[in-house]
Amino acid sequence: QVQLVESGGGLVQAGGSLRLSCAASGRIFSGSPMGWFRRAPGKERELVAVISWSGAFTYYTDSAKGRFTVSRDTAKNTVYLQMNSLKPEDTAVYYCATRAGAGMTYRPDEYDYWGQGTQVTVSS
């Protein structure tokens, strides 16, 4: 069992920045990735970014690439999502997730554990 808690969401103006954190606890699978997903009103959950266990490998969806940076402090069991140049279309509930297995994965159904989400609202 793994528990994930996101934090750092809030209300920002377009062009602003936020840094989300995801603290993991419990029986974390060695080698597991951490994914960031988001769900906007009226939309399905979508991938934002993924980071490997070591932090050496990252993946970003096209909308996040160049603006968002995912990082990981494995010793602290914490992953971060730095979001810059935020746009109103980034408004969503952001979730972190991990899996009971090693290796990078990119689909929501490949993840086993999810946080409660943190709201990000970007005003125009």
Side-chain angles (χ1 to χ4, degrees):
Q1 57 181 343
V2 177
Q3 296 80 45
L4 303 173
V5 180
E6 303 96 334
S7 61
L11 174 64
V12 297
Q13 295 178 336
S17 299
L18 282 174
R19 191 191 194 202
L20 306 183
S21 299
C22 175
S25 61
R27 193 174 181 180
I28 304 167
F29 195 95
S30 181
S32 63
M34 191 74 77
W36 283 100
F37 298 81
R38 67 186 182 189
R39 179 180 282 125
K43 294 183 64 179
E44 295 183 357
R45 181 170 48 191
E46 65 176 357
L47 177 69
V48 178
V50 182
I51 187 167
S52 66
W53 174 263
S54 67
F57 300 98
T58 57
Y59 173 86
Y60 301 92
T61 190
D62 286 345
S63 64
K65 192 176 300 181
R67 299 188 299 126
F68 294 2
T69 302
V70 62
S71 60
R72 187 171 191 170
D73 187 336
T74 304
K76 295 181 178 180
N77 295 131
T78 302
V79 68
Y80 306 94
L81 184 67
Q82 178 68 44
M83 305 187 294
N84 299 325
S85 301
L86 284 163
K87 305 173 182 179
E89 49 264 46
D90 295 318
T91 295
V93 177
Y94 284 71
Y95 301 88
C96 63
T98 191
R99 63 187 294 251
M104 298 280 280
T105 55
Y106 308 97
R107 294 187 288 107
D109 60 5
E110 295 177 308
Y111 287 81
D112 302 298
Y113 307 103
W114 295 82
Q116 84 288 349
T118 185
Q119 176 70 50
V120 172
T121 303
V122 184
S123 62
S124 61

